[in-house]
Amino acid sequence: MFQPNNQFPIKSLAVQESSAMMQVDKNETSLVVEDEMQNGGFAQAESIIFYTKRLQDDLHLIGLKVKQHEENMKLLKSQKNKLEDSILDLQVILGKYHSSTTPTTANDDHSEKETTEKILQHEKSAAGILLQLKTRHGNRAADIPLTKDVVGIVAMLGKVDDDNLSRLLSEYLGLETMLAIVCKTYDGVKALEFYDNEGCINLSSGLHGLASSIGRTLEGRFLVICLENLRPYAGEFVHNDPQRRLDILKPRLPNGECPPGFLGYAVNMINVDSTNLFCLTASGHGLRETLFYSLFSRLQVYKTRVDMVHALPCITDGAISLDGGMIRRTGVFSLGNREEVEVKFPKLSAASGLPDSYLESERQISELKWRKERMLEDMKREQALWDNAKFNFERKKKDFLKFLADSSSYATQHQILGAQSRLTSS
């Protein structure tokens, strides 16, 4: 009778144990879930904090860049305004000089007028067509995109002291070079002539099209000289010389003496207008050290043939003499009668004998204008960098705000899940 009496307590204990185990399993599962949520939430919170800090740092750095470009623009504008004020002051000084001097007589620029007329006689040449354009449109010709980069024609870009030297130098260069068009950049060269897909010249555009528009036909080849592609003179200039002549060492005979009859270098015997003396190219070079140095290099000038021949041991880049002698280059002599070149350099007029102070003021104006052009280019680049930095700042700011909004939404969801877990466990 004892066995049956023991069965019930045993069954009851088993039921209680099973019930207790179920209760423990439920509590442990709830704790595990909540713990996993806490651990996962902690890792996610760390990730959110890290990424938030990173976005804040990026935003701060871009903001500093925006501020720096803004300060750079303010500085550049201030410097540009100072340059403009300096240019204006110098122009006022030159204006006062002009108002206090007598007008130029009609004969003073006769030689330049004669050179222009000779070029216009070559009406089917590129130089003749360009001068026709200038004659018809005056100063407005410089605003035409086709000619905006054109500096001028070789024959019109320099003057000499006397007719004999003018004839010699013009003969040395030849008519084709005297009529060559000079451009600042290669873009200016490309604007003068266009080609179709087969490589043939497009006669309706460029200088050919311009010729047609004024009733002319451009015939034959023509030279175009690009200043930025020339290798400039790399030495020093004559100290305190308003014409910025090149400081080239005088030739020396084997005995160390300067050859008798040596008058100088042709490149320094060209007088360049003050507006073209300084800073025509982006690198700050004028016509003498680019165009005329390229054309004449170290061409020496002597009084007579006898002097020139005596100096043969120290002639490296050719020579001419005032009585008509000519050596093209070492070992190449040009004999026979002189050739009368139709187009020659104009003679330096009396009106060009301006005081050094005037020439120095014009030189300074040219230099300041060149610096202003470079500064405007710097401002353009700085503005682009500033705009890009502001764009990046706004984009990063949007990313940051979106991330904050998404993080806030995640935190809210995590809090709800945690609350639900706690309610379930209770």
Side-chain angles (χ1 to χ4, degrees):
M1 296 298 296
F2 179 77
Q3 180 89 24
N5 291 335
N6 285 339
Q7 287 180 351
F8 178 79
I10 293 174
K11 182 178 180 182
S12 177
L13 181 62
V15 171
Q16 289 178 2
E17 184 178 352
S18 175
S19 176
M21 288 178 63
M22 288 179 63
Q23 184 67 34
V24 169
D25 289 343
K26 184 177 179 181
N27 290 339
E28 286 182 351
T29 301
S30 177
L31 288 171
V32 168
V33 170
E34 186 173 356
D35 185 57
E36 287 180 352
M37 289 181 64
Q38 287 177 351
N39 290 337
F42 181 74
Q44 188 68 19
E46 277 191 327
S47 177
I48 291 173
I49 293 171
F50 171 78
Y51 197 64
T52 300
K53 182 68 167 57
R54 180 178 173 183
L55 286 174
Q56 286 177 329
D57 291 343
D58 290 346
L59 200 60
H60 179 66
L61 289 175
I62 297 175
L64 290 177
K65 287 183 180 180
V66 172
K67 185 66 176 176
Q68 184 61 54
H69 291 308
E70 182 180 1
E71 293 298 326
N72 290 344
M73 282 297 296
K74 288 180 180 179
L75 178 61
L76 288 171
K77 286 180 180 179
S78 175
Q79 292 175 344
K80 180 181 75 72
N81 291 336
K82 289 179 180 179
L83 285 175
E84 290 176 342
D85 291 342
S86 298
I87 292 171
L88 184 59
D89 291 341
L90 288 169
Q91 287 174 336
V92 169
I93 293 173
L94 296 186
K96 290 179 179 178
Y97 174 85
H98 285 298
S99 64
S100 63
T101 56
T102 56
T104 304
T105 61
N107 292 328
D108 283 337
D109 58 347
H110 173 73
S111 181
E112 187 171 345
K113 181 180 178 182
E114 184 180 17
T115 301
T116 301
E117 290 174 350
K118 289 292 184 181
I119 294 175
L120 287 173
Q121 289 177 8
H122 296 267
E123 58 182 23
K124 294 183 179 181
S125 69
I129 290 168
L130 279 179
L131 278 189
Q132 278 281 351
L133 178 69
K134 186 175 180 181
T135 301
R136 295 189 182 196
H137 297 280
N139 293 331
R140 290 179 299 166
D143 297 327
I144 298 175
L146 173 66
T147 61
K148 186 171 291 187
D149 198 64
V150 173
V151 179
I153 300 163
V154 168
M156 303 295 295
L157 293 175
K159 296 178 182 178
V160 294
D161 290 329
D162 64 84
D163 289 333
N164 185 43
L165 183 61
S166 174
R167 284 194 295 270
L168 284 167
L169 294 179
S170 301
E171 182 187 355
Y172 176 83
L173 293 179
L175 180 62
E176 185 180 31
T177 302
M178 291 295 287
L179 293 178
I181 297 171
V182 180
C183 294
K184 290 183 183 180
T185 67
Y186 184 62
D187 286 338
V189 178
K190 293 190 295 183
L192 297 177
E193 192 166 82
F194 293 86
Y195 311 93
D196 59 24
N197 294 331
E198 297 179 355
C200 298
I201 297 173
N202 185 340
L203 299 179
S204 62
S205 60
L207 202 54
H208 298 271
L210 180 63
S212 300
S213 69
I214 60 175
R216 296 284 187 272
T217 302
L218 178 56
E219 295 183 352
R221 288 186 175 273
F222 59 96
L223 290 183
V224 182
I225 300 173
C226 177
L227 294 181
E228 74 171 3
N229 291 146
L230 299 178
R231 179 178 294 178
Y233 167 74
E236 300 296 327
F237 296 88
V238 176
H239 184 61
N240 287 334
D241 178 22
Q243 271 286 313
R244 287 174 60 82
R245 291 179 175 84
L246 312 183
D247 191 11
I248 306 174
L249 293 176
K250 291 181 174 61
R252 298 289 176 182
L253 293 170
N255 61 8
E257 295 181 359
C258 184
F262 174 73
L263 300 177
Y265 291 98
V267 67
N268 283 336
M269 293 183 172
I270 297 289
N271 286 273
V272 182
D273 288 341
S274 55
T275 53
N276 294 330
L277 273 173
F278 193 84
C279 300
L280 278 179
T281 66
S283 54
H285 298 292
L287 284 183
R288 189 182 305 283
E289 63 266 33
T290 55
L291 174 66
F292 291 115
Y293 184 70
S294 174
L295 295 177
F296 295 116
S297 189
R298 284 169 165 78
L299 179 71
Q300 300 172 19
V301 181
Y302 290 87
K303 286 184 179 180
T304 66
R305 284 187 178 90
V306 175
D307 294 330
M308 184 177 70
V309 172
H310 183 68
L312 279 176
C314 58
I315 294 175
T316 57
D317 295 306
I320 60 174
S321 63
L322 296 184
D323 57 0
M326 188 174 293
I327 299 174
R328 291 286 178 180
R329 58 184 181 275
T330 303
V332 179
F333 299 83
S334 186
L335 304 180
N337 294 323
R338 290 188 184 186
E339 292 182 7
E340 188 63 33
V341 179
E342 297 178 27
V343 179
K344 59 186 181 182
F345 291 109
K347 182 181 177 182
L348 192 66
S349 65
S352 299
L354 297 170
D356 290 348
S357 59
Y358 180 93
L359 294 176
E360 177 61 20
S361 294
E362 284 207 330
R363 188 197 68 78
Q364 290 178 11
I365 288 176
S366 298
E367 180 180 359
L368 290 172
K369 285 183 176 179
W370 174 79
R371 288 171 57 188
K372 179 184 173 183
E373 288 179 4
R374 301 287 78 75
M375 192 159 293
L376 289 174
E377 292 177 1
D378 290 342
M379 290 177 66
K380 186 176 180 180
R381 286 191 292 269
E382 194 65 38
Q383 183 68 52
L385 292 172
W386 189 16
D387 291 341
N388 184 61
K390 288 189 288 186
F391 173 79
N392 289 335
F393 181 84
E394 290 300 323
R395 185 177 63 179
K396 184 65 69 174
K397 181 180 176 181
K398 288 180 181 178
D399 292 343
F400 181 61
L401 293 176
K402 184 176 184 300
F403 179 76
L404 290 179
D406 292 343
S407 301
S408 176
S409 175
Y410 170 81
T412 302
Q413 292 176 2
H414 183 74
Q415 289 173 355
I416 292 173
L417 289 174
Q420 291 175 341
S421 174
R422 287 190 293 273
L423 288 173
T424 304
S425 64
S426 62

